[in-house]
Amino acid sequence: MKAPVLGLVLGLVCGLAGDMTAQRGVARAEPALGPMLTVHHSFPEAGGVLRLVVEGFWPESPVEVLLSSPATAPPSVLKALDDPGTFFHFPDETVEMLHRGTVADSYGRVTLAIALDDPEDVERSFDLVFQDAEGRRSPPTRLMVQPPTLLLPARDHVVRIDLRDGSVMHPPIPGAGGLLAAAYSTDGFFRYLLRSGGRLETWPTRHWDGQPSLVTYIDPASDDLAHTGLTGPAFTVTRPQGAPFTPPGRLSFLDGREDLVLDPMAREMSGRRWAIAEDGTTAFVAEDELLVREIDVLTGTARSMFTAGLPGDQVIADLMLEGRRLYIASRRADGRAGSLSVLHLDTGWLSPFELTIDPQRLVALGDGRLLVVPAVDAAEVANSLVLVEEGIPTVSDSLTRPGRILDVAPVPGGALVLVRSEDSYRLESWDAGYGLSAWLPVVPQASRLIAAGPDAVLLLGASNGAVHRLSVETGTIEQLEGVTTSGLPLFAVIP
């Protein structure tokens, strides 16, 4: 998670009961002679920055940071705690524990930002405890570093691909059955797989060659699992079907709270049906009839509802939260150009914009930019992108190319665009200064692109099930050995 520390302090989730979400980024100590010690943390994602904020110390008081079992801790954590510019060494020869001293700020907080950039960090766990001069200790913060992961279902297993570099991880997750969604627990120790038929599996991330530690059967109409690295698995989305009237949809919270009944959600979407804010407290869910519902994740209640789109739009295509804006792409029934609605979270102002294309998917590029990808089943040839900057779509001839645009993947400095012309496939390069330009004239058959770190892009959706990895730096392409899917499968990207 890349939210500022102040936002982390003010907005982190306060924890839900139950084993599945026992530690949603927050831990609290028992009150003693001072304020309660509360620890907030982001998800321990390899290649990212782990942020910890501890509240409840006396202002500008000395604080010790205690790391148990340093011999097995991630190297990045050891390096951060051994920085002489920030921490001081307090040796303790009686236990296997490192002590590092620091000082609380004027608000009684201690903040840590640890770059998890060592390749050896993956699947290493560690325990941190914070102690003040009076001997009050925070509850242990126990985390396991996990890589960003792409999950691809194969015939009798689920392939794991490390999205730092596009490499295949071993062993795969055993078990056949359609993969619908997945999530990490917020501490990195568990992974949850939602399969078709309402089968929800809980897997310990240390053991992939056996059986899930827990299997729960939920409503067979459940087809998605809303999550973030901070919230872990927040709720499942249940979409019952029926005729002539569609039954209401439901959100089922995994801590046992009562289901939240919503309007029907029978219409299929080409993109995401839900989006959760970075602080984990608020979610947005798309229903039928262009309705978007705001959900209070902490209480499991609906806050408000609004209608997206413009007259003539009939279905929402994709939702995406980027910064303090919610983007909603809408389509028309006849396949003509749709619209983009932008909800400004700070003001509540909803701004609808006409688009020049029939939208299918939204792709975030960073720095307040995103690209709108056209629908492949549009009535007109889908050969244009729409650039959105700071919440406003822009029209430019430089975003139009011969052929049919299939997908976009962000890369450093811009994006790669997958284009099909008759039976051939190529990659175009996009950057803010020059728009689209020719880059790689021939690539293997594919229909989706997945960014994998700063130098790799994965090509999915070949008719023979092959998955290819492209090096952005060299332009070379290789097929991932032993990875075969069935056409374009459902896949999951976590956290």
Side-chain angles (χ1 to χ4, degrees):
M1 190 183 75
K2 302 177 177 63
V5 169
L6 181 58
L8 191 66
V9 174
L10 298 178
L12 283 173
V13 189
C14 295
L16 302 177
D19 177 67
M20 303 183 73
T21 51
Q23 193 190 127
R24 297 184 56 187
V26 178
R28 298 181 183 274
E30 292 297 327
L33 300 178
M36 177 178 291
L37 297 182
T38 305
V39 182
H40 309 273
H41 65 82
S42 62
F43 183 77
E45 181 179 347
V49 177
L50 172 65
R51 302 185 186 276
L52 298 104
V53 180
V54 190
E55 300 178 284
F57 297 109
W58 297 114
E60 300 179 351
S61 63
V63 175
E64 283 188 276
V65 184
L66 290 74
L67 172 69
S68 61
S69 304
T72 59
S76 292
V77 175
L78 292 174
K79 179 181 178 181
L81 298 184
D82 200 33
D83 181 355
T86 306
F87 295 90
F88 304 94
H89 189 196
F90 292 86
D92 186 341
E93 299 178 353
T94 61
V95 294
E96 188 184 4
M97 181 176 291
L98 290 181
H99 291 218
R100 296 292 184 266
T102 187
V103 177
D105 65 16
S106 58
Y107 296 96
R109 300 177 308 200
V110 170
T111 63
L112 296 179
I114 302 175
L116 300 174
D117 52 11
D118 192 299
E120 299 300 319
D121 290 338
V122 173
E123 296 186 349
R124 289 202 183 193
S125 61
F126 61 100
D127 292 83
L128 284 178
V129 173
F130 299 82
Q131 177 176 289
D132 67 8
E134 300 170 349
R136 292 188 307 145
R137 288 189 173 188
S138 69
T141 300
R142 188 165 183 254
L143 304 173
M144 178 182 285
V145 179
Q146 297 292 347
T149 306
L150 170 68
L151 300 180
L152 285 172
R155 178 171 297 180
D156 57 359
H157 61 274
V158 175
V159 178
R160 299 188 295 142
I161 298 179
D162 189 333
L163 285 181
R164 294 175 301 166
D165 57 8
S167 61
V168 180
M169 302 175 69
H170 297 285
I173 306 173
L179 175 68
L180 300 179
Y184 277 119
S185 62
T186 189
D187 56 12
F189 281 93
F190 293 94
R191 188 177 287 160
Y192 306 94
L193 271 63
L194 176 62
R195 299 184 189 259
S196 56
R199 179 184 170 99
L200 182 62
E201 302 173 351
T202 304
W203 288 84
T205 49
R206 287 189 185 275
H207 306 288
W208 291 113
D209 54 355
Q211 297 294 323
S213 59
L214 178 67
V215 175
T216 305
Y217 287 93
I218 57 179
D219 194 311
S222 300
D223 71 348
D224 207 349
L225 179 61
H227 63 92
T228 66
L230 177 62
T231 64
F235 51 81
T236 59
V237 180
T238 303
R239 300 171 51 244
Q241 304 293 309
F245 302 107
T246 304
R250 299 194 316 277
L251 304 184
S252 300
F253 297 90
L254 301 185
D255 60 354
R257 284 178 290 171
E258 184 177 353
D259 288 0
L260 179 60
V261 179
L262 303 179
D263 281 359
M265 295 182 280
R267 288 183 177 270
E268 295 294 333
M269 293 176 54
S270 54
R272 293 148 293 201
R273 189 176 295 274
W274 55 267
I276 301 181
E278 285 186 337
D279 63 9
T281 63
T282 303
F284 296 90
V285 179
E287 303 173 351
D288 289 348
E289 310 303 333
L290 300 175
L291 296 177
V292 178
R293 188 89 60 166
E294 181 181 352
I295 307 297
D296 186 324
V297 178
L298 297 182
T299 62
T301 57
R303 286 179 178 160
S304 60
M305 179 178 63
F306 61 91
T307 302
L310 290 170
D313 294 345
Q314 293 204 356
V315 62
I316 292 174
D318 197 9
L319 290 182
M320 187 178 70
L321 269 168
E322 180 69 8
R324 297 296 297 165
R325 298 183 183 94
L326 174 69
Y327 295 92
I328 308 138
S330 304
R331 302 184 64 184
R332 295 189 172 188
D334 54 11
R336 293 184 297 170
S339 69
L340 180 72
S341 301
V342 183
L343 176 67
H344 301 264
L345 301 187
D346 292 328
T347 64
W349 187 262
L350 181 66
S351 303
F353 298 93
E354 292 184 358
L355 295 176
T356 57
I357 63 172
D358 181 11
Q360 175 167 284
R361 191 175 305 114
L362 304 171
V363 178
L365 304 178
D367 297 326
R369 293 190 179 104
L370 61 95
L371 287 172
V372 184
V373 181
V376 295
D377 61 345
E380 301 177 0
V381 176
N383 64 348
S384 295
L385 296 169
V386 172
L387 173 65
V388 182
E389 296 186 277
E390 300 299 335
I392 300 176
T394 61
V395 178
S396 173
D397 292 338
S398 65
L399 295 172
T400 300
R401 298 293 287 177
R404 184 177 290 272
I405 294 175
L406 300 180
D407 203 9
V408 173
V411 297
L416 292 183
V417 182
L418 179 64
V419 183
R420 184 184 71 200
S421 295
E422 297 181 350
D423 292 330
S424 66
Y425 298 79
R426 68 180 189 275
L427 285 173
E428 302 275 346
S429 176
W430 177 88
D431 65 50
Y434 297 97
L436 283 171
S437 57
W439 190 69
L440 200 60
V442 179
V443 298
Q445 178 192 11
S447 57
R448 290 297 302 269
L449 298 177
I450 303 291
D455 184 53
V457 171
L458 300 173
L459 290 86
L460 313 177
S463 59
N464 62 359
V467 177
H468 293 83
R469 178 176 55 203
L470 162 72
S471 170
V472 178
E473 181 177 354
T474 65
T476 57
I477 298 176
E478 63 174 335
Q479 183 174 339
L480 295 185
E481 185 177 354
V483 177
T484 303
T485 62
S486 178
L488 177 61
L490 291 170
F491 60 85
V493 175
I494 50 177

